[in-house]
Amino acid sequence: MTKPKDTMGELIRVLIVDDHAMVRQGLRTFLELQKAADLSIEVAGEAGNGVEAVKLAKQTQPDIVLLDLVMPEMDGIQAASKIMEASPNSRIIILTSFGEEEKVLPAIRAGAQGYLLKDIPPNELVQAVREAHLGRVQLHPDAAKKLMNAVAAGESSATRRAADSETGLTEREREVLQLIADGMNNRDIAAKLVISEKTVKTHVSAILAKLNLDDRTQAAVYALRRGIVTDRD
C-alpha cells in the first residue's frame, strides 16, 4: 500500500489569484518568507481574475492555487473547475472574505480542496497549504458547518435511501468511500489503493448509484455520518 507523500524539504509551488494587488503582494511576501527546512514555498505566479488564473495554471502547473471567489471576468467558482481541467494535479484552496452557504458548497463541488476565510492567521495559512499539498481537505470551521448544513438540508431522503443500499457495496467500494470521506481526490485514491484513476472513477460512479447519492460531497457527508472513515495513524 502506498504511503502518503511527505513534504519534508519539498518545494511547494503556489499560484496566487486575487483581484486586489495589495492582497497578492501581501501573500507573496509572506509565503516567500517560509523557507524553513521542512517547508519551502515558491510563488509560481499571480493572477488578478479567473481568466488569467486558468491561463497561468495551465502554464505553470502549480501544486496549490490560492483562489479568491469574487473577481471580475470570471469568478472563483467558475475558475476552479477550469483550473482543474488545465492543471489536474493542482489543489485549490479558496481564500475569501465570503463564507455564505451559497458560495461554500458550489466551491467544493467545483473541485476546491479547501475553503478558508481571509482572517486566517498567517501561520495557519502556511499549515493549510502544506496540508492541502498532502491531499487533506482544509475548511474554516464556519465553512465546514455551513457545508454540512447545506448538504444535510437536501440530503435527508437520499441518506435514508443510501442506508438501505449500503450492504450492496463491495469491499473495494467501501474502501473508496472511506477515502472520499478522508478528502482524497481520484488521483490520491488511485495511488493509495494502487489502482488506476479510471478504476477509481468506476468505483465512485458505482458508489453513487448504489447509495442513491448525487455527488462526492453527499458521499463524503454520508460516510462521515455513518462512521465509515479510515483509521488515522
Side-chain angles (χ1 to χ4, degrees):
M1 184 174 291
T2 303
K3 293 181 179 179
K5 68 180 177 179
D6 188 352
T7 59
M8 295 294 283
E10 183 178 347
L11 184 67
I12 300 176
R13 301 175 65 254
V14 180
L15 174 62
I16 299 170
V17 185
D18 196 290
D19 61 332
H20 292 95
M22 185 177 296
V23 173
R24 296 197 305 272
Q25 182 58 50
L27 287 170
R28 172 185 282 274
T29 299
F30 179 76
L31 291 175
E32 290 185 338
L33 290 174
Q34 309 309 307
K35 299 296 183 181
D38 65 339
L39 178 64
S40 184
I41 293 178
E42 174 183 270
V43 176
E46 298 177 21
N49 60 61
V51 174
E52 292 177 4
V54 175
K55 291 180 180 177
L56 272 177
K58 185 174 183 178
Q59 292 171 6
T60 63
Q61 299 292 300
D63 297 304
I64 300 293
V65 181
L66 293 179
L67 181 64
D68 192 16
L69 277 185
V70 180
M71 299 181 294
E73 297 191 50
M74 181 188 292
D75 66 23
I77 292 173
Q78 291 175 304
S81 58
K82 293 184 179 297
I83 288 172
M84 294 305 299
E85 293 175 5
S87 182
N89 293 330
S90 296
R91 293 188 168 101
I92 297 172
I93 299 176
I94 300 297
L95 187 60
T96 181
S97 301
F98 301 92
E100 290 85 355
E101 261 180 32
E102 62 268 22
K103 295 187 182 297
V104 176
L105 189 58
I108 299 300
R109 283 179 168 160
Q113 182 85 11
Y115 196 107
L116 302 174
L117 301 185
K118 288 181 178 177
D119 62 359
I120 184 174
N123 62 313
E124 291 184 17
L125 177 60
V126 170
Q127 184 63 24
V129 167
R130 183 177 183 182
E131 293 292 315
H133 188 48
L134 287 168
R136 297 166 184 158
V137 173
Q138 301 300 299
L139 293 175
H140 185 281
D142 290 345
K145 182 178 179 181
K146 288 171 181 175
L147 174 63
M148 294 291 283
N149 289 342
V151 175
E155 189 199 38
S156 57
S157 60
T159 301
R160 287 194 294 270
R161 293 195 306 271
D164 294 334
S165 306
E166 185 181 329
T167 54
L169 295 182
T170 66
E171 182 177 351
R172 178 62 91 187
E173 287 165 355
R174 285 181 64 85
E175 287 182 303
V176 172
L177 181 58
Q178 289 174 337
L179 296 176
I180 290 173
D182 282 348
M184 288 191 179
N185 58 30
N186 286 354
R187 178 169 58 89
D188 292 329
I189 294 173
K192 180 83 172 176
L193 299 180
V194 196
I195 57 179
S196 70
E197 283 191 58
K198 183 177 181 180
T199 300
V200 174
K201 290 179 181 178
T202 299
H203 287 317
V204 172
S205 295
I207 290 166
L208 297 180
K210 289 181 179 181
L211 298 184
N212 295 300
L213 300 175
D214 295 328
D215 52 41
R216 294 170 68 98
T217 304
Q218 286 191 354
V221 173
Y222 169 78
L224 291 169
R225 284 179 170 172
R226 301 281 292 182
I228 306 174
V229 294
T230 58
D231 293 330
R232 298 172 189 261
D233 297 327

